[in-house]
Amino acid sequence: MFDLAVAGLEHVLVPANLLFLFIGVFAGIVFGALPGLTATMGLALLVPFTFTMAPAAGLIMLAGIYVGAMYGDAVPAILINTPGTPAAIATSFDGFALTQKGMAQHGLVAAAVASCFGSLVANIVLLTAAPPLAEASLKFGPPEYFWLGVFGLTIIATLSTGSVLKGFLAGALGLLLSTIGMAPIGGDVRLTFGFPEMQAGIELIVALIGFFCLPEILESVIGRRQAKYTSKNVKPNFSVVWEVIRDLFKRPVLMFRSAIIGTVVGFAPGAGGNIASMVSYNEACRWDKHPEEFGKGTIKGVAASEAANSAMAPGSLVPLLTLGIPGSPPAAVILGALMLHGMRPGGELFTVHGQVVYAFMMALLLAAFLVTIIGSFGSFVFARIINIPSRFLAPVIIFMTVLGSYAIRNNMLDVWIMLIFGVVGFVSNKLKFHPAPIVLGLILGPFVEEGLVQSMLAGRAAGGVVQYMVFRPISGVLITLSVLSALWPVYAAWKHKRKQRLEGCACDIEEGPKNA
Amino acid sequence: MKKLITMALAFSLVLGLGLVAQAEDYPSEPITYSIPFNPGGQSDLEARRQQPMLEDILGVSVIIQYKPGGGGSVGWAELVRAKPNGYFITGINVPHIVLQPLARGNAGFETEQIKPIAFFQATPIGLAVLKDSQFQTLEDLVEFAKANPGAITAGGSGTWSGHHIANLQLQEKAGIELTYVPHKGAAPSVAAFLGGHVQALWANSNDLYQHRDKIRVLGFGTKEPFEPMPEVPTFEAQGYDLYASIDRGAGAPPGTPDEKIKVLEDAFLKIANDPKIKEQMLNDGFVPLSMGAEESAKYIQEKIEDWKPVVEKFQQ
């Protein structure tokens, strides 16, 4: 394996291929950063070009795009509260709060460094332990997906410390919205109100732009923060880069935990970066000594989310390269590219085409470093964007949001949905409803529904639905985690109260950790 | 009055000439090739393979755009409302375009509205079990299912999809009952199958071919044996006249002039008949097709008659 890895590295270090990698990473960052354009689209656009390239060169460029996009989505999440892809939702919680404090560069550098770290850890796992992990990933069946969805929903409790009731109401609304369109199972068309376009359901990115970005623009135009997008003038400088890197290196537990969560979620076919970053953010907040800092602008939150979603990318390649099962939509495009070059995933891929595959994996590794370099230098440019007065910036952002909502599915209805959600989001922010639980419900709804219905079908065939769903090792773990996670806020509140009594201080637990 | 007639004649002549000229010029603008699925699916990959060749043959740029949703129906609803000027085409899939309007009244389009240009790729559907399964042949599975109705779970992609209808047809023709477990796409259903979460799998030939080391295919829904896996018998050879495949092609809006369809048809068929493309397809586990516009329309009609009773019976 080692000599193949070296041979692969030699492929990547050919100047022409390095250039392809650089172009790939750069294009990936752009695709990730523009809401409405996704890593999947970037990869699909490139596939025809890779026909004419040597297989190694083509795959190296695809690797660059994939890794670049996993970082790129953090840029708008941090600067304008608009996750470039759903995977960066959790990045915006603290990233945008940092921007509002005038610390946009901290957020951008933290995202770049954490992305690189997550990518590295996951890549090492991919290089060394892919086959056994791929076998393990197959243990994920309908009941596991159901319980994973339920576990994900318990995050609502963390996301809504201000008022758990409001959090659950928002979460329920999200679940309800997720049922619009064609049922994942049964194919019934639900809640389309007579619009054939609504069969497609609510697109996640459209909801993100609506609930996260538009309210901020409205706020900056008609709300408290008129004139400027942020309160302070940002002057990027080099000391910030070192400060952030040093700070993150002092938190190995946070970094490793986030990277591992991302990698593991990546294995499970179907669960994507959005779940990885949400779960990771939640755990970072839960185990931190100062959970109250989360949501008010801490690089810990940004790092947790970005390390996880970047680790998801190589993680999703584990089942792809070993079993031929793509763990994420971008991985599906990479599978297509591999097949078009006559490479069939599975055992033969690592032997017959070993050099090309290791070149691909080495490219993923190298791309991670390129992300840090481009991200750190880029932060000097990006961070200044928010110094532009709102009267110039807001129209540009609105233009981009409309374009992005349309581009994702070429559907005009999506633009209207985005605008409606934007107004709803603005009003609900005023009422102290945070949009995060709505989006969480929207993401997890299909998981829970599909897992439940499939489990019921398979369970009935096996003779008992409840036994089928509960008495399985991974299900057991997920159920336990869900119960603990749901009860955690109760425990945290009790601990807080006790501490308060002991110290006699009047901390305010009512204030939520979110930026709303 | 005479003047008026002359003018009218002249006018219609100009108009007629204009039309001829227009048809001769066609295509002179970029053509939009819409894919009614997400990027990265097989329809997308096939379109991406064709894109540079189409541009070569037609001499204009071909823009691929995505209109996913509703298992393709959102894209086809757009297709039947698009301007029939030959500059907007959409990828079409059988059985999707046939089954969706049959199964749900509000799919947003009728099968007959779509004007097929060509079909260029077929993906036969097969039924498989894992290598270590107790079922050695289709007969074993049928016998077990007769003794234990509903106990065998069979995964597949989607409801009212090619897999679902194949399952319904096998149930009817063999007089058995299976528990069909739909998944949200081919990849998750293959994962569930390899992980042992379903006992059998309805899948497309390319997926089955890809995982051939780990699985045993019990039958293919083809008339001739599937070329890359000649050892697998067809359903027909085992006594069930069951034909199931996913056919990929392209279609135009209703009312698109036949001359324009012809230009596009020639381009698609030229690519489909390219020996290099054919070889690539077979290597990936697909069956190359080259079905022209007329033949395609007839084929779609046949499928409507084939499936209508099955859908109606199941819905009652």
Side-chain angles (χ1 to χ4, degrees):
Chain A
M1 185 213 107
F2 188 69
D3 29 307
L4 273 173
V6 172
L9 193 61
E10 276 168 17
H11 269 289
V12 184
L13 292 178
V14 173
N17 287 351
L18 264 182
L19 184 69
F20 282 136
L21 184 66
F22 185 81
I23 296 172
V25 172
F26 196 79
I29 292 179
V30 173
F31 266 88
L34 292 174
L37 298 181
T38 60
T40 319
M41 277 190 201
L43 290 166
L45 269 173
L46 203 77
V47 167
F49 293 101
T50 62
F51 287 139
T52 48
M53 289 181 186
L59 283 172
I60 285 169
M61 202 159 159
L62 291 175
I65 292 201
Y66 196 8
V67 176
M70 287 296 131
Y71 162 70
D73 57 4
V75 176
I78 292 166
L79 293 179
I80 56 172
N81 203 26
T82 308
T85 68
I89 301 170
T91 311
S92 70
F93 296 164
D94 273 297
F96 186 60
L98 277 171
T99 296
Q100 286 177 314
K101 286 203 285 189
M103 292 164 71
Q105 200 193 6
H106 288 78
L108 290 166
V109 176
V113 174
S115 281
C116 172
F117 183 80
S119 240
L120 284 182
V121 171
N123 262 305
I124 291 166
V125 173
L126 173 65
L127 275 165
T128 52
L133 288 172
E135 288 302 322
S137 81
L138 290 179
K139 295 276 183 298
F140 255 76
E144 282 79 14
Y145 280 109
F146 173 75
W147 292 115
L148 180 68
V150 170
F151 174 56
L153 285 172
T154 62
I155 295 176
I156 291 176
T158 316
L159 290 179
S160 54
T161 326
S163 160
V164 178
L165 180 67
K166 280 182 182 172
F168 277 111
L169 275 176
L173 178 66
L175 286 175
L176 194 63
L177 287 174
S178 82
T179 62
I180 292 178
M182 216 168 77
I185 288 171
D188 308 288
V189 177
R190 306 178 293 201
L191 301 171
T192 58
F193 305 105
F195 295 100
E197 292 95 338
M198 288 282 275
Q199 288 178 75
I202 304 275
E203 165 65 41
L204 199 52
I205 291 176
V206 171
L208 287 181
I209 298 174
F211 282 125
F212 284 84
C213 180
L214 218 52
E216 290 305 327
I217 300 173
L218 292 174
E219 186 76 21
S220 77
V221 177
I222 55 176
R224 285 169 274 128
R225 288 185 290 105
Q226 276 187 21
K228 265 287 177 62
Y229 218 74
T230 173
S231 48
K232 276 188 204 158
N233 222 356
V234 176
K235 286 192 203 73
N237 60 60
F238 261 111
S239 65
V240 171
V241 178
W242 296 125
E243 188 194 321
V244 169
I245 293 179
R246 234 178 305 136
D247 200 12
L248 289 180
F249 269 87
K250 274 190 237 146
R251 305 181 190 281
V253 179
L254 172 89
M255 299 292 277
F256 271 106
R257 184 182 49 224
S258 308
I260 287 165
I261 289 173
T263 317
V264 171
V265 174
F267 296 159
N274 42 31
I275 295 183
S277 62
M278 283 277 203
V279 171
S280 166
Y281 180 86
N282 189 45
E283 295 311 314
C285 180
R286 190 202 309 270
W287 297 107
D288 203 89
K289 283 202 191 79
H290 302 284
E292 71 280 358
E293 288 171 22
F294 280 78
K296 300 201 185 100
T298 166
I299 60 166
K300 290 179 281 187
V302 174
S305 166
E306 280 303 304
N309 74 26
S310 291
M312 188 281 299
S316 73
L317 295 173
V318 168
L320 175 78
L321 295 178
T322 48
L323 302 170
I325 297 166
S328 65
V333 184
I334 292 173
L335 171 66
L338 285 171
M339 300 289 285
L340 288 172
H341 280 292
M343 290 184 271
R344 192 168 67 99
E348 155 198 325
L349 189 69
F350 286 87
T351 51
V352 182
H353 305 287
Q355 285 210 1
V356 178
V357 173
Y358 277 96
F360 177 61
M361 292 196 275
M362 285 296 159
L364 288 170
L365 246 152
L366 227 60
F369 287 107
L370 279 179
V371 159
T372 319
I373 296 167
I374 299 178
S376 299
F377 280 105
S379 71
F380 287 85
V381 184
F382 300 143
R384 282 182 216 273
I385 291 172
I386 45 170
N387 289 340
I388 303 168
S390 292
R391 65 177 181 280
F392 299 125
L393 193 57
V396 174
I397 297 177
I398 292 207
F399 175 72
M400 295 295 288
T401 56
V402 171
L403 207 64
S405 318
Y406 181 75
I408 189 78
R409 294 195 301 200
N410 289 293
N411 201 331
M412 196 56 205
L413 194 67
D414 283 344
V415 177
W416 295 115
I417 293 175
M418 184 271 289
L419 292 172
I420 293 168
F421 282 1
V423 175
V424 172
F426 181 69
V427 175
S428 67
N429 271 355
K430 296 268 171 233
L431 301 173
K432 298 247 180 293
F433 274 93
H434 194 267
I438 304 183
V439 175
L440 195 67
L442 199 52
I443 292 173
L444 294 172
F447 264 84
V448 176
E449 183 184 348
E450 206 181 327
L452 181 65
V453 182
Q454 283 175 347
S455 298
M456 285 173 74
L457 284 168
R460 221 174 281 153
V465 177
V466 178
Q467 295 102 291
Y468 181 75
M469 287 185 71
V470 178
F471 299 114
R472 297 158 70 105
I474 304 178
S475 287
V477 172
L478 286 168
I479 294 169
T480 317
L481 284 175
S482 306
V483 172
L484 289 178
S485 178
L487 294 177
W488 185 274
V490 182
Y491 167 73
W494 172 78
K495 210 173 84 174
H496 188 87
K497 253 193 198 140
R498 207 180 61 152
K499 199 171 139 203
Q500 242 181 352
R501 226 179 305 138
L502 289 177
E503 292 174 5
C505 86
C507 309
D508 183 16
I509 196 166
E510 279 306 301
E511 194 168 341
K514 295 283 82 64
N515 55 26
Chain B
M1 187 65 199
K2 220 177 193 174
K3 217 175 176 179
L4 204 69
I5 292 169
T6 329
M7 262 171 72
L9 271 174
F11 184 69
S12 52
L13 196 69
V14 170
L15 202 72
L17 276 177
L19 278 177
V20 172
Q22 205 186 1
E24 270 169 6
D25 285 348
Y26 178 79
S28 57
E29 291 169 33
I31 293 174
T32 303
Y33 186 174
S34 173
I35 301 297
F37 301 98
N38 280 313
Q42 185 51 39
S43 296
D44 179 32
L45 288 172
E46 204 46 50
R48 296 267 166 209
R49 171 160 35 203
Q50 293 165 336
Q51 185 185 19
M53 305 177 86
L54 282 174
E55 289 183 339
D56 254 9
I57 299 169
L58 296 169
V60 292
S61 50
V62 172
I63 300 153
I64 293 180
Q65 70 164 43
Y66 305 101
K67 186 97 180 180
S73 60
V74 175
W76 295 312
E78 183 193 32
L79 174 69
V80 300
R81 284 167 188 73
K83 264 192 215 144
N85 55 9
Y87 292 105
F88 187 90
I89 60 173
T90 299
I92 56 173
N93 301 50
V94 167
H96 312 48
I97 57 163
V98 177
L99 289 175
Q100 284 167 6
L102 275 180
R104 37 192 161 103
N106 51 356
F109 70 98
E110 295 298 329
T111 312
E112 292 82 358
Q113 284 179 288
I114 298 173
K115 223 171 156 171
I117 297 166
F119 279 104
F120 36 75
Q121 185 184 64
T123 321
I125 293 171
L127 180 66
V129 292
L130 287 174
K131 270 258 157 78
D132 57 9
S133 160
Q134 53 172 315
F135 308 124
Q136 295 298 326
T137 61
L138 184 62
E139 225 27 71
D140 291 350
L141 184 135
V142 168
E143 253 166 53
F144 186 89
K146 270 190 184 142
N148 310 281
I152 299 177
T153 47
S157 167
T159 307
W160 296 122
S161 60
H163 298 168
H164 186 199
I165 202 95
N167 189 67
L168 290 176
Q169 282 181 307
L170 181 68
Q171 292 193 116
E172 195 185 273
K173 292 184 199 290
I176 54 172
E177 196 187 317
L178 305 171
T179 299
Y180 177 72
V181 182
H183 291 76
K184 225 191 285 174
S189 70
V190 173
F193 170 62
L194 293 179
H197 304 289
V198 288
Q199 287 149 283
L201 178 75
W202 290 100
N204 297 349
S205 57
N206 58 318
D207 286 323
L208 296 173
Y209 184 61
Q210 198 198 329
H211 296 284
R212 58 187 179 270
D213 313 334
K214 292 180 209 115
I215 64 174
R216 181 163 47 244
V217 184
L218 301 178
F220 270 117
T222 45
K223 295 211 165 141
E224 307 290 323
F226 175 54
E227 210 174 305
M229 298 170 86
E231 71 284 0
V232 177
T234 61
F235 286 118
E236 192 184 16
Q238 304 179 75
Y240 307 105
D241 55 338
L242 166 59
Y243 310 104
S245 80
I246 311 275
D247 306 296
R248 297 191 178 82
T256 308
D258 287 336
E259 314 90 69
K260 292 187 179 179
I261 296 273
K262 180 89 182 87
V263 173
L264 295 169
E265 178 190 349
D266 290 346
F268 274 109
L269 290 184
K270 194 172 167 198
I271 299 170
N273 287 322
D274 186 326
K276 231 178 86 194
I277 295 283
K278 279 190 171 173
E279 197 198 311
Q280 274 181 4
M281 280 199 203
L282 283 171
N283 279 339
D284 294 351
F286 297 101
V287 176
L289 272 187
S290 61
M291 218 190 262
E294 214 170 298
E295 207 185 332
S296 300
K298 218 185 287 162
Y299 178 68
I300 292 172
Q301 201 52 46
E302 262 170 41
K303 287 295 170 189
I304 296 179
E305 281 152 28
D306 220 17
W307 287 324
K308 211 172 184 171
V310 185
V311 174
E312 274 166 6
K313 193 176 163 200
F314 186 77
Q315 277 184 330
Q316 276 158 16

